[in-house]
Amino acid sequence: MDGRLRNMASLYLLRGDKMLLLWRVGSRVVAPSWCGIGGHFERAELNVARAALLREVQEEIGLTEEALCGLSLRYITLRLKQGEVRQNYYFFATLREGVRVWETCSEGTLRWVPLHEVEALPMPFTASEVLRHYLREGRKTQLLYGGIAQDTGMVPVPLEEF
């Protein structure tokens, strides 16, 4: 293990009983699949996940922070894949009333998916584990969870400040 790291941030945007997902194609690190809006950190963003996320959201769907209600980091995960440690920061927010999202995206196809259909969609492993937990338990709390992905799944653990 040579210590290669890949930091990524994703937004899962809610509107009523639907979640905005992106059928991402042409990614360097994931096969075509349903994902949140987001991507890789740039060098200046390495210590500010929110900045990386907001830049990606602006680039991919044309939204600024003012369009989002309750933007919050809810999950941080680690996974070892292809010799690199992948650290993902998962944010959730609600779209402000009256705000429109671009209908097209250069990264793939956007779709508002009913929440009851989300878990059945093909997704990257860690995203799938996060969304399963979020939809069943995490959205009922305001906790920040940490998790380490293993081939058996991921157990989100509330992070405590001490």
Side-chain angles (χ1 to χ4, degrees), residues 4-159:
R4 285 184 296 137
L5 304 173
R6 184 178 300 270
N7 291 290
M8 298 169 280
S10 296
L11 172 65
Y12 289 93
L13 187 59
L14 301 161
R15 181 178 68 188
D17 65 347
K18 295 183 179 178
M19 180 179 286
L20 183 65
L21 295 176
L22 170 64
W23 177 255
R24 188 174 297 276
V25 293
S27 169
R28 296 176 300 208
V29 297
V30 296
S33 56
W34 290 102
C35 302
I37 309 305
H40 300 89
F41 286 34
E42 292 183 358
R43 186 176 304 273
E45 300 163 340
L46 287 179
N47 292 317
V48 190
R50 189 180 189 104
L53 176 80
L54 291 171
R55 176 189 48 76
E56 288 283 350
V57 167
Q58 170 67 41
E59 290 174 3
E60 292 185 7
I61 60 172
L63 295 182
T64 63
E65 188 170 5
E66 292 73 32
L68 309 173
C69 293
L71 178 62
S72 181
L73 175 61
R74 298 297 311 284
Y75 295 84
I76 302 169
T77 64
L78 293 173
R79 181 180 185 192
L80 181 60
K81 178 141 174 126
Q82 298 175 337
E84 65 187 10
V85 175
R86 296 184 180 179
Q87 188 160 315
N88 288 277
Y89 297 82
Y90 293 94
F91 289 80
F92 289 79
T94 301
L95 186 65
R96 283 199 189 281
E97 192 70 34
V99 173
R100 293 184 53 118
V101 175
W102 291 346
E103 293 181 13
T104 60
C105 175
S106 63
E107 304 286 330
T109 303
L110 294 167
R111 181 174 150 214
W112 286 100
V113 178
L115 293 177
H116 69 273
E117 295 178 13
V118 169
E119 287 186 55
L121 297 174
M123 295 180 187
F125 180 80
T126 308
S128 177
E129 291 291 307
V130 163
L131 288 178
R132 180 182 1 269
H133 183 267
Y134 178 80
L135 291 169
R136 294 178 184 181
E137 184 177 334
R139 67 181 170 158
K140 300 171 191 167
T141 77
Q142 294 301 312
L143 299 173
L144 172 60
Y145 295 92
I148 297 175
Q150 300 177 321
D151 63 354
T152 56
M154 182 191 73
V155 177
V157 176
L159 297 179

